[in-house]
Amino acid sequence: MDFKHISVLLDECIDGLKIKKDGVYVDGTLGGAGHSYEICRRLDGGRLIGIDQDINAINAAKERLREFEGTVTYINDNFSNIKNILEKEGIVKADGFLLDIGVSSHQLDEAERGFSYMHDAPLDMRMDITKPLSAFEVVNEYSEEALNDIIFKYGEERWAKRIAKFIVEERKIKPIETTFDLVDIIKKAVPKGARKDGPHPAKRTFQAIRIEVNGELEILESTIECMTEMLNPGGRLCIITFHSLEDRIVKNAFRKQENPCTCPPQFPVCICGMKPKARVITRKPIIPGDKELKENHRARSAKLRILERI
């Protein structure tokens, strides 16, 4: 299978990791292995752990990284299990972690996975195809209230209530089985005037359902805390996000690692005893430059934040 994926903010990530040739690095979202390839090129006696819950990504990465045999260990799992994964590999601390959050270009282009509103396919959206919950169950079985909550919260969709109502009305007639079935319902729900400008009317709803299916936001904050704990001093955590919800979680989690004090602001001195574990390298997120945006339009919403262990 041809697993195509253009790595976003590639140079910025590699620079941000400050790679040591004998270090241990973890790519928690292996994908097309573009980032991992550049990490491996800089290793001499070091090690890379490549993790992805999509078995197609693992298989493609093995082909892409075959020249680095002996350097890379492939793990078909979710990065939220990072502590157990590294313990099984005999690794106590790492020198760098990289996460590229969200759906890959390949997953969007692979029509049958049901991630894209641009391809007609069965409603699926599972990054790990062995998991039981798919987009079909979310769309056809969740209550109207739950659908509204998900679409509004995860999609930041102003028309969430109407979309949820239209979905429930339509599925009373027949199950909603394909991506284009869902797109048609969303287009009916979103007023014509609101569809003139901005992104595709289904973009936010599809994003919301995908996040729900894969539990993407639930695991992010705890994973950041765990990865920070497992970094060597001077080691770095680099995270790329693609929408404001993810970026807000990363920004706040990084701040918490830098300033964990729980004392009320009016206290003259800290008495909680919570000490900083890391420092934020990126006060503002790094975003793609004009050249990258011209070459890869999917990079337009990408933001990179970097944290360093102290």
Side-chain angles (χ1 to χ4, degrees), residues 3-292:
F3 198 106
K4 293 181 179 178
H5 179 65
I6 302 172
S7 298
V8 174
L9 293 165
L10 178 59
D11 293 338
E12 293 84 350
C13 284
I14 299 304
D15 290 344
L17 284 170
K18 290 180 63 178
I19 296 168
K20 302 187 299 183
K21 64 181 183 179
D22 60 348
V24 175
Y25 295 87
V26 179
D27 186 343
T29 47
L30 192 54
H35 292 106
S36 283
Y37 185 88
E38 293 301 322
I39 293 171
C40 288
R41 283 185 58 217
R42 290 159 174 79
L43 296 180
D44 183 7
R47 186 177 180 190
L48 174 74
I49 308 296
I51 303 168
D52 206 294
Q53 59 185 330
D54 187 339
I55 191 61
N56 291 340
I58 294 287
N59 292 334
K62 287 179 179 178
E63 181 65 22
R64 177 80 184 273
L65 303 176
R66 63 186 182 278
E67 65 188 271
F68 303 110
E69 187 177 352
T71 298
V72 188
T73 301
Y74 302 94
I75 307 290
N76 182 204
D77 202 342
N78 189 292
F79 60 73
S80 63
N81 298 319
I82 187 63
K83 194 171 190 298
N84 290 335
I85 290 169
L86 293 192
E87 282 179 354
K88 287 179 181 178
E89 293 301 319
I91 298 170
V92 179
K93 298 283 186 179
D95 297 291
F97 291 98
L98 171 65
L99 295 177
D100 182 352
I101 305 297
V103 65
S104 72
S105 299
H106 171 80
Q107 288 166 333
L108 285 169
D109 292 336
E110 194 179 14
E112 64 269 21
R113 302 291 291 277
F115 284 105
S116 176
Y117 45 79
M118 301 301 290
H119 302 295
D120 195 19
L123 279 172
D124 195 326
M125 301 194 197
R126 290 173 297 172
M127 293 182 184
D128 180 352
I129 59 175
T130 68
K131 298 295 184 182
L133 182 66
S134 73
F136 180 86
E137 281 76 35
V138 172
V139 170
N140 287 282
E141 297 176 11
Y142 277 31
S143 69
E144 183 176 336
E145 182 181 9
L147 285 169
N148 174 41
D149 289 345
I150 290 163
I151 297 168
F152 183 77
K153 181 181 177 182
Y154 294 158
E156 299 179 300
E157 171 59 74
R158 62 178 295 201
W159 301 105
K161 193 170 185 178
R162 275 178 61 89
I163 292 169
K165 184 176 186 296
F166 275 56
I167 287 172
V168 170
E169 290 300 316
E170 186 68 26
R171 75 190 193 193
K172 287 178 182 176
I173 302 169
K174 63 181 181 65
I176 301 163
E177 296 183 342
T178 72
T179 53
F180 278 8
D181 287 345
L182 182 57
V183 169
D184 287 343
I185 295 165
I186 294 167
K187 285 181 176 179
K188 291 175 187 175
V190 177
K192 188 175 181 181
R195 288 189 264 124
K196 288 182 179 179
D197 302 313
H200 191 286
K203 179 180 179 179
R204 294 185 179 94
T205 300
F206 269 62
Q207 170 186 293
I209 294 170
R210 190 203 79 220
I211 288 171
E212 172 68 12
V213 167
N214 296 287
E216 294 173 36
L217 300 186
E218 299 168 10
I219 61 176
L220 193 49
E221 185 174 357
S222 60
T223 298
I224 289 171
E225 185 172 345
C226 185
M227 286 183 170
T228 304
E229 285 285 349
M230 300 188 79
L231 277 172
N232 280 317
R236 290 189 169 187
L237 169 56
C238 297
I239 302 183
I240 303 171
T241 61
F242 287 88
H243 61 77
S244 58
L245 285 172
E246 295 168 340
D247 182 58
R248 198 176 307 133
I249 290 171
V250 174
K251 179 176 68 174
N252 292 336
F254 278 15
R255 284 178 177 172
K256 186 177 177 182
Q257 296 302 314
E258 184 176 60
N259 183 20
C261 178
T262 57
C263 296
Q266 63 268 28
F267 276 28
V269 294
C270 173
I271 60 170
C272 72
M274 302 289 284
K275 301 296 183 183
K277 297 177 182 177
R279 67 186 182 100
V280 177
I281 301 299
T282 47
R283 292 300 160 188
K284 291 185 177 181
I286 298 170
I287 60 175
D290 292 339
K291 183 175 182 294
E292 180 170 4

